[in-house]
Amino acid sequence: MADAVELAVGDRTVRLSNPDRVYFPARGETKLDLAQYYLAVSDGIVRALRDRPCMLHRFPTGVTGEKVHQKRLPRGAPDWVETVRVTFPRWNRTADELCVQHPADVVWAVQMSTVEFHPWNSRRDHVEQPDEWRIDLDPMPEASYDDVRRVAHVVHEVLDELGAVGFPKTSGGSGMHVYVRIPPEHGFADVRRSAHAFAREVGRRCDLVDLTWWRKDRDPGSVFVDYNQNARDHTIRSAYSVRGVPEAVVSTPIRWDEIDDADPRDFTIATVPARFAELGDLHAGIDDAPFSLAPLLGWADRDTHEGAEDPPPEPQDLD
């Protein structure tokens, strides 16, 4: 077993220790396989993470071992790894989180046993004003992936009517995410309020949707359109992030016309590099399609006027 290898990543070199350690036992893929996967999709993963505070999910002995949720940059980073400082006023704390600029940053994070990348939906130049509205389709235990697909089509319909361009991806689990670029003009509370108004409209059109606040009270066969993923410091796996499971499933961008046929279990570190080489980054155009939240804030005001209750407020920060 090799003690270490050195990987050339653009103009930088990253030393990878324990490259033969098996991280994903389903097919025996190693830490080196993980690093090589991220190199194969480097344009996509860097685009998804660039300039965003990023929480790392680390698995020092592989994905069947201990999982570490790491907000603060691990010690020992090269001087070229950049960070962004975020504050947690509720706890009077700060954290210097990874702020990816270069593929070598991602590979260095793998050296530190990172499998999953969970970025904020805001960037370091405007940490308190998100530029990404995230639609998370979260199935309850008795809902099928076909149910998620059905809700996704309604999401697409409503986005089209709004004139918003949505960029779907598999979640790496049983759900689906859709991202919409927005101008960084509103705080987290307004983005979440807009997302809730959108979720209500999807729920009006699709009887599979249940927006009940408490998970235990929802219909077990329903799909929750999780507007809370737009609250401050709530994060989900980025596009091209691997999920920390033995099968090494990847949260993968898909086209709208693939919704009915794409099986999220087929997207792994073994299959996504060839797809990426053929199709490129399906989220490459996301920055070219910003959408103003004004219509959704108008919907939220209308719903409030008609007596709809807002969900309980989220904590200001998590730490």
Side-chain angles (χ1 to χ4, degrees), residues 137 139 145 170-177 237 243 245 249-251 263-265:
L137 306 185
Y145 196 67
T170 62
S171 70
S174 58
M176 190 181 301
H177 303 151
R237 289 177 213 97
R243 185 183 178 202
V245 294
V249 180
V250 173
S251 180
D263 187 328
R265 295 170 296 184

Side-chain angles (χ1 to χ4, degrees), residues 251-274:
S251 180
T252 305
I254 55 177
R255 300 186 306 264
W256 285 110
D257 63 7
E258 293 183 287
I259 294 293
D260 289 335
D261 298 319
D263 187 328
R265 295 170 296 184
D266 292 339
F267 301 122
T268 71
I269 67 172
T271 63
V272 170

Side-chain angles (χ1 to χ4, degrees), residues 143-154:
S144 69
Y145 196 67
D146 280 340
D147 295 328
V148 173
R149 290 179 170 121
R150 181 177 157 194
V151 177
H153 285 303
V154 179

Side-chain angles (χ1 to χ4, degrees), residues 128-303:
E128 301 302 328
Q129 290 80 39
D131 71 342
E132 196 163 77
W133 161 30
R134 295 174 176 174
I135 304 164
D136 178 12
L137 306 185
D138 181 13
M140 296 301 101
E142 296 178 17
S144 69
Y145 196 67
D146 280 340
D147 295 328
V148 173
R149 290 179 170 121
R150 181 177 157 194
V151 177
H153 285 303
V154 179
V155 166
H156 192 195
E157 173 186 286
V158 179
L159 288 175
D160 276 353
E161 291 177 12
L162 285 165
V165 181
F167 290 80
K169 68 182 182 72
T170 62
S171 70
S174 58
M176 190 181 301
H177 303 151
V178 181
Y179 287 0
V180 179
R181 184 65 76 242
I182 57 175
E185 298 172 346
H186 300 279
F188 289 97
D190 277 348
V191 176
R192 177 174 177 255
R193 187 166 179 256
S194 298
H196 189 214
F198 179 85
R200 280 193 185 116
E201 181 59 27
V202 174
R204 291 184 186 102
R205 303 187 189 196
C206 183
D207 59 6
L208 279 170
V209 172
D210 187 342
L211 298 182
T212 303
W213 174 250
W214 295 110
R215 186 180 184 90
K216 64 181 178 60
D217 295 332
R218 292 178 204 143
D219 179 343
S222 69
V223 175
F224 182 51
V225 182
D226 190 358
Y227 48 86
N228 290 316
Q229 297 300 351
N230 298 280
R232 189 181 193 271
D233 194 34
H234 280 233
T235 61
I236 51 181
R237 289 177 213 97
S238 74
Y240 303 104
S241 174
V242 181
R243 185 183 178 202
V245 294
E247 298 78 14
V249 180
V250 173
S251 180
T252 305
I254 55 177
R255 300 186 306 264
W256 285 110
D257 63 7
E258 293 183 287
I259 294 293
D260 289 335
D261 298 319
D263 187 328
R265 295 170 296 184
D266 292 339
F267 301 122
T268 71
I269 67 172
T271 63
V272 170
R275 174 182 169 86
F276 190 88
E278 177 185 357
L279 301 178
D281 180 10
L282 295 181
H283 284 193
I286 191 169
D287 288 323
D288 301 328
F291 168 73
S292 169
L293 291 180
L296 292 178
L297 289 169
W299 287 6
D301 290 340
R302 175 204 64 197
D303 292 346

Side-chain angles (χ1 to χ4, degrees), residues 21-35:
R21 175 172 287 158
V22 173
Y23 266 41
F24 306 99
R27 289 183 303 273
E29 288 142 331
T30 65
K31 184 178 183 180
L32 179 58
D33 292 326
L34 178 64

